[in-house]
């Protein structure tokens, strides 16, 4: 078992990278539902769910509670950022969750493949 030290820099770096990842996938979701949108609006969506995820895991909160809180904040941020009706916000939030999960899985499995490369 490898013991790793958690530093404030590592927590901040993880939060910032997760926020950027969530912002990119939020933009993909918004484009899917609304068509052409300003990519800067998606930058408002990623940070709060990222903070909830990192803080929830640091506090050892139940995973279902973290996901539920992140999804609620995600939907609220879509509504605030894009000003759309509930149905469009729900569609964007659902698509955002699906795209984030799928892209996260692809990146995770690619990292496993790269780590297990011979030589």
């Amino acid at each position: 078992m490898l013991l790793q030290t958690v530093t404030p820099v590592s927590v901040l770096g993880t939060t910032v990278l997760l926020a950027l990842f969530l912002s990119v996938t939020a933009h993909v979701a918004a484009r899917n539902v609304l068509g052409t949108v300003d990519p800067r609006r998606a930058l408002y969506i990623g940070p709060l769910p990222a903070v909830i995820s990192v803080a929830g895991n640091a506090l050892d909160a139940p995973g279902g509670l973290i996901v539920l809180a992140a999804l609620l904040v995600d939907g609220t941020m879509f509504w605030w950022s894009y000003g759309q009706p509930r149905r469009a916000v729900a569609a964007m939030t659902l698509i955002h969750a699906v795209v984030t999960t799928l892209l996260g899985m692809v990146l995770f499995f690619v990292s496993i493949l790269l780590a297990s490369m011979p030589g």
Side-chain angles (χ1 to χ4, degrees):
M1 182 168 99
L2 181 63
L3 214 56
Q4 296 178 350
T5 305
V6 177
T7 64
V9 173
S10 67
V11 172
L12 180 63
T14 300
T15 307
V16 168
L17 286 176
L18 181 58
L20 288 173
F21 177 72
L22 290 174
S23 293
V24 168
T25 57
H27 179 65
V28 170
R31 279 190 58 117
N32 192 306
V33 174
L34 301 176
T36 304
V37 292
D38 182 11
R40 289 176 291 185
R41 289 181 180 253
L43 292 174
Y44 299 124
I45 297 169
L48 284 178
V51 167
I52 289 171
S53 176
V54 171
N57 283 303
L59 296 172
D60 205 22
L65 183 62
I66 296 170
V67 170
L68 180 62
L71 283 173
L72 288 173
V73 168
D74 196 46
T76 303
M77 293 308 295
F78 269 116
W79 172 79
W80 180 77
S81 184
Y82 292 100
Q84 295 295 313
R86 287 184 191 173
R87 180 172 255 163
V89 168
M92 285 188 284
T93 305
L94 176 65
I95 292 170
H96 186 215
V98 170
V99 169
T100 300
T101 302
L102 292 176
L103 187 56
M105 288 173 59
V106 166
L107 293 173
F108 175 73
F109 289 122
V110 166
S111 71
I112 288 175
L113 284 173
L114 291 175
S116 65
M117 257 182 5

